[in-house]
Amino acid sequence: GALTDSAGPSLSASLSDGAVLGDRNVGITVDARDDVGVAEVTVNGDRLYQRASFTEASLAGTLSFDEGEHTIELAASDLAGKA
């Protein structure tokens, strides 16, 4: 049957708000949780790939920045299509 779900996944990341970084390449780990199953996680619009959909996923990637101030945007969706 159809999946029913009232909320999208919760997200947390290894980088905190306002973090000052000393390197142009920065590793990031994103943890996503959802009662239906995490379908996709993106960082700045780039998908972090996972092998399957799980109710809890810990995904890692590397971000590359030019010098200056930057905003990191996290997003996730679940198997029911909630973001």
Side-chain angles (χ1 to χ4, degrees):
L3 295 174
T4 56
D5 188 21
S6 60
S10 63
L11 289 169
S12 63
S14 59
L15 297 175
S16 60
D17 286 345
V20 177
L21 309 172
D23 195 345
R24 290 177 187 239
N25 296 310
V26 178
I28 185 170
T29 301
V30 179
D31 295 315
R33 290 178 176 75
D34 187 79
D35 60 336
V36 173
V38 177
E40 180 179 80
V41 175
T42 61
V43 176
N44 289 347
D46 294 325
R47 185 174 183 185
L48 294 179
Y49 288 95
Q50 60 194 47
R51 292 182 180 252
S53 295
F54 299 101
T55 56
E56 295 184 15
S58 184
L59 307 166
T62 301
L63 303 174
S64 297
F65 298 108
D66 291 329
E67 191 172 330
E69 188 173 314
H70 299 276
T71 300
I72 299 170
E73 295 181 13
L74 303 176
S77 60
D78 64 20
L79 293 174
K82 299 283 184 184

